[in-house]
Amino acid sequence: MKKLRVMALMDEELVPPDDIAGYTDEQALEWKTEYDVVTTLRDLGHEVLKLGVSEDVGLIHAALLDFKPHITFNLLEEFHGVATYDQHVVSYLELMKQSYTGCNPRGLMLSHDKILSKQILHFHQIATPRFTVYERGSTITPAVDMTYPMFVKSATEDASFGLSNKSIVNTPEELRDRVEHCYDEIETTALVEEYIEGREFYVGVLGNRQLTALPVWELLMTKLPAGEPNIATAAVKWDFKIQKELGVKTEAPKDLSPKMNAEIKRLAKRIYKALHMSGYARMDFRVSTDGRIYVLEANSNPNLSYGEDLAESAHTVGIKYEELIQRILNLGLRYRHAWRG
């Protein structure tokens, strides 16, 4: 295996220490992905430069000239504090003729824009929950052609940012309150979907043109109180105490029929292609109580932490974490950039 110079590009406040001795799991949670990836790259023998940025693209330019990386491992989540601006940083890497890992700018733009991505998937006859959109600051008039309960979320934020049990609304008053929460607290347009009661599944996809769908993974809450919704709120995703209280875990479903399993994986690949994604991604699905499959979101450059959904599902088919990181690196090196002619 060729040893590479790898620039690990990440958010300035998420640059991890070289040694995590003395840190608790809670303290390390924010930068665990960055630590796991950088440590693994070094264990694989690559020379790694950790570069944290927040608003100065000049830092990237200087590092490209001085370090001369063979490839940039893109772990960036935002720029100028804007979640969707990571796509513009990747566009800058394209203009600098720099190879990078993960999704290309077009795929990032389409998958970040949840409204546009749903419209594209609807064109491809891939089922998503019925939805309506409230542009930030616009009058909140409940849609007459949608059925309660509804689910309110940001049209652009990811990682369950801003989601809680209050995101499920059952009345026009609750709808107005939650959309205003998007306006005022999250500061984005609100996407309102019909809530799908059922099971939640995730599917990782690797590849550029030839795609590999990883095993279907399910979100489970083994101690969920009766009547409470099984949704991946911010607390469920990031709060260790809540995870323990609800018995949160993810694993391969034990009772999914071979036909349903194959259909979910087939849909994951179709979504990946429809949204022009590359590198790696994770698709989120709900399967209703009557067996209908709905795609919730397509997540470009999802969580790569050791022990998280993508890595765990890969491990069940023999792809160890080190191999997963190297495979993602190889996909970045092989991606067919326009500048390569």
Side-chain angles (χ1 to χ4, degrees), residues 47-215:
E47 181 182 357
V48 182
L49 170 68
K50 294 184 291 186
L51 184 67
V53 298
S54 60
E55 57 184 23
D56 185 3
V57 74
L59 294 175
I60 302 173
H61 184 266
L64 291 175
L65 296 180
D66 295 341
F67 186 60
K68 295 180 174 58
H70 295 100
I71 187 169
T72 291
F73 205 110
N74 181 26
L75 296 169
L76 203 63
E77 296 182 358
E78 60 182 35
F79 197 77
H80 285 313
V82 180
T84 56
Y85 277 13
D86 64 339
Q87 66 205 36
H88 302 307
V89 176
V90 176
S91 295
Y92 178 74
L93 295 176
E94 287 276 3
L95 295 179
M96 293 296 291
K97 296 185 176 181
Q98 167 68 188
S99 295
Y100 52 83
T101 63
C103 197
N104 65 81
R106 179 163 60 162
L108 283 171
M109 183 271 289
L110 294 177
S111 58
H112 276 327
D113 189 330
K114 298 174 186 177
I115 300 165
L116 180 56
S117 66
K118 286 171 74 72
Q119 292 168 337
I120 292 171
L121 296 178
H122 179 72
F123 172 82
H124 286 279
Q125 299 182 341
I126 297 172
T128 69
R130 294 183 68 186
F131 71 100
T132 189
V133 177
Y134 294 92
E135 295 289 342
R136 187 182 178 196
S138 65
T139 302
I140 305 168
T141 303
V144 296
D145 60 342
M146 291 181 61
T147 304
Y148 291 100
M150 300 181 194
F151 191 73
V152 184
K153 60 186 178 182
S154 165
T156 53
E157 291 287 351
D158 56 14
S160 296
F161 183 71
L163 297 187
S164 71
N165 285 354
K166 292 181 180 179
S167 299
I168 299 176
V169 299
N170 293 281
T171 67
E173 291 74 23
E174 291 179 355
L175 174 65
R176 291 189 183 94
D177 287 345
R178 204 61 195 174
V179 171
E180 287 177 353
H181 177 267
C182 272
Y183 290 174
D184 301 334
E185 302 299 324
I186 309 177
E187 300 182 343
T188 69
T189 290
L191 173 62
V192 180
E193 301 175 320
E194 290 187 354
Y195 175 65
I196 305 300
E197 185 72 42
R199 300 168 70 178
E200 185 152 321
F201 298 103
Y202 309 131
V203 180
V205 180
L206 306 175
N208 295 327
R209 296 195 177 195
Q210 298 296 320
L211 305 183
T212 299
L214 298 174

